[in-house]
């Protein structure tokens, strides 16, 4: 597709460093495929749970100037239906797939990992950090370095696929959690999940806009937080980082690579710039390479990264 | 940015059994075929096709089917609800000889379309069908527009027994249409499609919708990944012909496939 955008993630060749993150479009094989056709280099499924989930009642979206709040509530068709969609996608394409899974304890994560072992997925992502199911499940696992260590270690022992730990930005010290994941054997980290959660109020009706009251914050306003946490984490760990958070334009992606990410997720920008956003950002990255004397994306990855 | 507007119900019109129209004094600037998401913040936000829209008013027509719509039916003129939108694609407004095929409570957006078509100089024929005459909506509204109008029920309560597809077939035998539009149950459109052959057409699809802004993937149709909230809900012939799930299955709130 674009020779100059080719890169590698955990030894797997990518056509583009752009990733469709969990929760966006990845409900069905055709939703994954349309992101691939439009230029995503890796596709992530919805975060799959053992049983199907309808997610929260609406409204699940509250928009404001700097981004959106969402409380989808982990709606997904369940691990077995979800993997059928992943397999169907993989029949049509060689683009790597990250199968994202969500659970609240080690046993369930192990059951999910076992299912994923038998799928055509390429990577296993442990969603340890959904901020929108607090009422149901309490504080996200990613808030505790001990929980993260325990789960990653157990899953790592039984997963056929490389394991990615998806971390939360809503913690006091992300570095110690990232280090715990690395020590437990995580092959890569994914950060950041949505920020907050936050709240929106309808002043005329004196009601929270989101039925779940609170929702994770995404969009351009969280980019500075994502850059900071990726930069900090990259300086401390040796495993690759799948960076995301507010990437809307090519320049955002380049900045994130410079902060220490090897691949970059693009989610909320699908709303701002259409499903074509992957192709647009790919082209904008190439423009940046041209204007700044870089040959390929790999040249940016090879840069001596900003160090703490 | 699709701003949320919290607005008062200006009028409520009884249309048929368990079917009401809600009118809002609000400039929505919508096109025929588009939809809004509506909530009362008490649980649930649902998509509704726009049944009529002028520069200072818009209308939706609602069938009472569950908890959410039951609550909506209890609202009074002057009560607030909150809407997002308009969202999605719209019908092409032709100036030729056109046929509109409606089914049940899916018909209302065709009223908005018919008005725009007439304004554009089109010759408009409407066929409208429902299970029984209690379910038939907008008969008088269409007649008042002065379009060629026929209706029918599956139970035959108006003297004719059959579906709007039967009426469409007869109308197409009598005259040559340039464009056919349909809104209603998916199986009605599935039955209509083979009769249309070389004719240009557009169908309005109804599917489970969640975010309405094209990111959650709940309303994506196989195998081409069309998002009904962005590229739909109105799909032209060239897209409908590519859909393998049309008339076969849809997805529920979890994303699981459910056969029709």
């Amino acid at each position: 597709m674009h020779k100059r955008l080719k890169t590698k993630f955990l030894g797997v060749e990518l056509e583009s460093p752009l990733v469709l993150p969990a929760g966006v479009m990845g409900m069905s094989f055709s939703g994954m495929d349309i992101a691939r056709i439009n230029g995503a280099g890796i596709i992530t499924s919805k975060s799959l749970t053992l049983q199907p989930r309808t997610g929260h009642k609406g409204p699940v979206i509250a928009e404001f100037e700097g981004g959106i709040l969402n409380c989808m509530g982990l709606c997904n068709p369940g691990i077995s239906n979800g993997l059928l969609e992943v397999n169907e996608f993989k029949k049509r394409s060689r683009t790597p797939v990250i199968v994202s899974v969500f659970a609240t304890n080690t046993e369930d994560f192990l059951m999910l990992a076992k299912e994923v072992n038998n799928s055509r997925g390429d990577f296993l992502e442990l969603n340890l950090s959904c901020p929108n199911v607090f009422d149901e499940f309490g504080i996200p696992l990613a808030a505790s370095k001990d929980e993260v260590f325990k789960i990653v270690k157990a899953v790592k022992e039984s997963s056929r696929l490389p394991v990615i730990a998806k971390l939360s930005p809503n913690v006091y010290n992300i570095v110690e959690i990232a280090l715990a994941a690395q020590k437990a054997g995580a092959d890569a980290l994914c950060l950041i999940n949505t920020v907050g959660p936050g709240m929106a109020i309808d002043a005329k009706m004196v009601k929270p806009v989101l039925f779940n009251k609170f929702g994770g914050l995404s969009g351009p306003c969280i980019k500075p937080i994502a850059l900071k946490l990726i930069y900090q984490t990259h300086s401390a760990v040796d495993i690759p980082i799948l960076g995301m958070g507010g990437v809307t334009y090519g320049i955002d992606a380049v900045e994130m690579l410079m902060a220490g990410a090897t691949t970059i997720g693009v989610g909320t920008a699908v709303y701002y710039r259409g499903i074509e956003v992957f192709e647009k950002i790919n082209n904008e990255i190439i423009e940046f390479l041209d204007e700044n004397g870089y040959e390929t994306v790999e040249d940016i990855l090879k840069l001596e990264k900003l160090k703490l | 940015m699709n701003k949320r507007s919290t607005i008062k119900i200006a009028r409520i019109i009884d249309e048929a059994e368990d079917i009401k129209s809600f009118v809002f004094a609000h400039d929505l600037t919508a096109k025929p075929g588009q939809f809004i998401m509506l909530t009362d913040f008490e649980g649930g936000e649902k998509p509704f096709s726009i049944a009529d829209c002028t520069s200072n008013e818009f209308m939706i027509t609602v069938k009472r089917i569950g908890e959410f719509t039951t609550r909506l039916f209890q609202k009074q003129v002057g009560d607030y609800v909150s809407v997002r939108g308009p969202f999605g694609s719209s019908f092409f407004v032709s100036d030729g000889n056109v046929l509109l095929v409606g089914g049940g409570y899916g018909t209302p957006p065709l009223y908005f379309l018919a008005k725009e078509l007439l304004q554009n100089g089109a010759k408009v024929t409407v066929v409208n069908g429902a299970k029984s005459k209690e379910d038939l909506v907008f008969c008088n509204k269409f007649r008042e527009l002065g379009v060629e109008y026929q209706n029918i029920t599956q139970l035959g309560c108006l003297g004719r027994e059959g579906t709007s597809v039967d009426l469409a077939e007869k109308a197409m035998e009598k005259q040559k249409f340039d464009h056919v539009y349909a809104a209603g149950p998916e199986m009605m459109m599935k039955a209509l499609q083979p009769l249309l052959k070389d004719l240009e057409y557009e169908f309005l699809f109804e599917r489970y919708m969640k975010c309405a802004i094209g990111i959650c993937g709940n309303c994506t149709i196989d195998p081409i990944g069309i998002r009904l909230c962005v590229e739909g809900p109105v799909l032209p012939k060239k897209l409908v012909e590519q859909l393998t799930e049309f008339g076969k299955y849809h997805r529920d709130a979890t994303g699981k496939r459910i056969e029709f």
Side-chain angles (χ1 to χ4, degrees), chain B residues 8 103 105 109 119 128 131 134 161 190 193 197-198 203 233 238 244 258:
Chain B
K8 284 178 179 170
Y105 52 91
Q119 227 166 44
N128 189 8
K131 193 162 183 203
E134 288 76 27
E161 190 180 323
K190 187 74 180 171
Q193 189 192 29
K197 294 176 188 121
D198 299 334
F203 290 168
K238 66 175 192 302
T244 46
I258 307 288

Side-chain angles (χ1 to χ4, degrees), chain A residues 25 30 54 58 76-77 202 207, chain B residues 1 6 42 44 210 215 222 254:
Chain A
M25 293 297 291
S30 64
T54 54
N76 80 91
D202 187 284
K207 294 267 189 194
Chain B
M1 188 166 145
T6 298
E42 297 291 338
K210 190 149 186 159
I215 56 175
D222 296 336
T254 73

Side-chain angles (χ1 to χ4, degrees), chain B:
Chain B
M1 188 166 145
N2 289 289
K3 240 187 98 192
R4 172 177 292 287
S5 304
T6 298
I7 50 180
K8 284 178 179 170
I9 299 169
R11 291 199 303 283
I12 300 173
I13 305 160
D14 283 312
E15 298 287 358
E17 178 138 332
D18 278 341
I19 299 180
K20 285 183 185 196
S21 290
F22 296 84
V23 180
F24 303 92
H26 178 76
D27 178 13
L28 191 68
T29 339
K31 293 182 195 143
Q34 291 190 301
F35 70 97
I36 55 156
M37 296 295 284
L38 183 144
T39 187
D40 60 356
F41 298 120
E42 297 291 338
E45 186 189 37
K46 306 282 178 193
F48 293 99
S49 284
I50 297 153
D52 196 9
C53 182
T54 64
S55 61
N56 51 25
E57 274 191 355
F58 78 93
M59 178 170 88
I60 57 166
T61 300
V62 181
K63 162 90 172 173
R64 187 160 69 89
I65 45 172
E67 208 180 295
F68 181 92
T69 45
T70 299
R71 223 166 49 227
L72 189 55
F73 268 47
Q74 287 160 0
K75 308 252 182 253
Q76 310 286 321
V77 168
D79 285 351
Y80 276 121
V81 294
S82 192
V83 302
R84 293 191 289 144
F87 296 113
S89 62
S90 58
F91 288 112
F92 164 71
V93 181
S94 162
D95 58 2
N97 187 23
V98 301
L99 174 65
L100 279 57
V101 185
Y105 52 91
T107 302
L110 295 181
Y111 174 72
F112 181 18
L113 173 65
K115 282 176 74 175
E116 300 278 309
L117 286 164
L118 289 170
Q119 227 166 44
N120 203 36
K123 182 174 175 290
V124 181
T125 301
V126 178
V127 294
N128 189 8
K131 193 162 183 203
S132 69
K133 70 173 192 287
E134 288 76 27
D135 303 318
L136 207 56
V137 292
F138 281 30
C139 309
N140 292 332
K141 282 195 170 76
F142 280 116
R143 287 196 180 105
E144 283 161 17
L145 285 183
V147 298
E148 181 89 28
Y149 176 81
Q150 283 187 312
N151 55 30
I152 195 164
T153 66
Q154 279 167 274
L155 298 175
C157 10
L158 297 167
R160 274 188 300 249
E161 190 180 323
T163 68
S164 50
V165 177
D166 299 330
L167 289 181
E169 190 170 16
K170 285 198 189 100
M172 287 187 289
E173 279 165 13
K174 277 192 212 143
Q175 52 178 313
K176 172 99 180 89
F177 292 101
D178 303 310
H179 205 106
V180 177
Y181 304 90
E186 191 155 321
M187 296 320 277
M188 174 199 90
M189 300 191 291
K190 187 74 180 171
L192 178 64
Q193 189 192 29
L195 307 177
L196 302 178
K197 294 176 188 121
D198 299 334
L199 277 175
E200 275 306 315
Y201 63 81
E202 286 172 305
F203 290 168
L204 190 151
F205 283 78
E206 284 182 26
R207 288 293 165 93
Y208 181 83
M209 297 216 184
K210 190 149 186 159
C211 77
I213 59 172
I215 56 175
C216 77
N218 247 107
C219 66
T220 307
I221 300 200
D222 296 336
I224 50 173
I226 290 292
R227 296 166 297 170
L228 273 188
C229 68
V230 176
E231 289 88 20
V234 175
L235 298 181
K237 179 182 189 173
K238 66 175 192 302
L239 291 180
V240 176
E241 283 175 343
Q242 296 176 57
L243 304 178
T244 46
E245 77 168 73
F246 175 40
K248 294 212 174 75
Y249 62 89
H250 59 103
R251 289 174 193 273
D252 67 7
T254 73
K256 209 163 60 179
R257 297 182 193 190
I258 307 288
E259 302 212 345
F260 276 108

Side-chain angles (χ1 to χ4, degrees), chain A:
Chain A
M1 193 163 34
H2 302 282
K3 259 190 180 158
R4 301 170 68 190
L5 293 177
K6 282 203 185 218
T7 177
K8 275 189 176 180
F9 181 67
L10 295 174
V12 176
E13 295 245 4
L14 307 181
E15 297 283 330
S16 155
L18 301 186
V19 180
L20 179 79
V24 182
M25 293 297 291
M27 186 73 100
S28 60
F29 76 88
S30 64
M32 300 179 202
D33 207 35
I34 200 74
R36 174 192 65 85
I37 290 165
N38 280 286
I42 310 187
I43 301 298
T44 313
S45 73
K46 283 255 176 194
S47 283
L48 302 170
T49 48
L50 284 172
Q51 296 304 320
R53 285 177 58 92
T54 54
H56 293 307
K57 280 189 174 182
V60 292
I61 295 281
E63 196 177 346
F64 66 100
E65 295 73 13
I68 58 178
L69 294 166
N70 92 79
C71 58
M72 294 294 173
L74 291 169
C75 49
N76 80 91
I79 187 72
S80 44
N81 291 310
L83 290 176
L84 288 177
E85 302 289 340
V86 168
N87 292 344
E88 178 111 25
F89 170 79
K90 288 295 286 189
K91 266 192 236 164
R92 294 152 183 261
S93 145
R94 289 164 59 188
T95 298
V97 171
I98 300 171
V99 179
S100 182
V101 297
F102 176 89
T104 55
N105 58 65
T106 311
E107 294 68 38
D108 287 0
F109 267 119
L110 284 174
M111 280 166 78
L112 289 162
K114 221 171 113 189
E115 298 277 333
V116 178
N117 278 344
N118 299 320
S119 77
R120 296 189 184 204
D122 299 271
F123 306 102
L124 173 65
E125 174 184 278
L126 308 178
N127 179 353
L128 305 164
S129 50
C130 178
N132 298 323
V133 286
F134 189 88
D135 285 351
E136 210 173 332
F137 304 127
I139 296 165
L141 295 164
S144 154
K145 65 178 193 304
D146 298 337
E147 288 291 335
V148 168
F149 181 83
K150 193 175 79 184
I151 289 162
V152 172
K153 192 167 182 344
V155 170
K156 197 47 205 162
E157 278 162 13
S158 56
S159 176
R160 178 178 69 82
L161 307 179
V163 173
I164 306 166
K166 184 158 186 177
L167 303 183
S168 168
N170 312 313
V171 293
Y172 180 66
N173 184 352
I174 199 165
V175 170
E176 67 171 23
I177 291 163
L179 286 170
Q182 176 174 271
K183 197 173 152 204
D187 297 279
L189 301 172
C190 176
L191 56 133
I192 58 176
N193 207 321
T194 53
V195 171
M199 185 176 189
I201 289 173
D202 187 284
K204 283 187 183 168
M205 289 178 77
V206 202
K207 294 267 189 194
V209 170
L210 299 173
F211 185 66
N212 185 50
K213 291 192 181 121
F214 313 134
L217 183 50
S218 65
C221 66
I222 73 164
K223 190 184 78 170
I225 299 172
L227 286 177
K228 182 254 186 188
L229 293 174
I230 290 163
Y231 170 65
Q232 244 185 330
T233 305
H234 171 71
S235 305
V237 301
D238 303 314
I239 51 180
I241 295 173
L242 204 162
M244 57 186 63
V247 173
T248 312
Y249 295 94
I251 190 68
D252 303 325
V254 169
E255 288 166 16
M256 207 160 266
L257 291 172
M258 290 177 171
T262 26
T263 52
I264 306 111
V266 177
T268 304
V270 170
Y271 165 50
Y272 294 117
R273 303 185 71 196
I275 192 71
E276 308 80 10
V277 67
F278 297 97
E279 192 60 37
K280 289 177 183 167
I281 294 181
N282 280 336
N283 290 331
E284 288 157 4
I285 294 174
I286 290 173
E287 273 168 40
F288 178 87
L289 297 177
D290 282 339
E291 285 166 11
N292 294 278
Y294 297 102
E295 190 48 42
T296 66
V297 164
E298 293 280 343
D299 291 345
I300 294 180
L301 290 170
K302 272 184 238 151
L303 284 178
E304 182 68 16
K305 297 282 166 72
L306 309 161
K307 287 277 180 204
L308 271 180

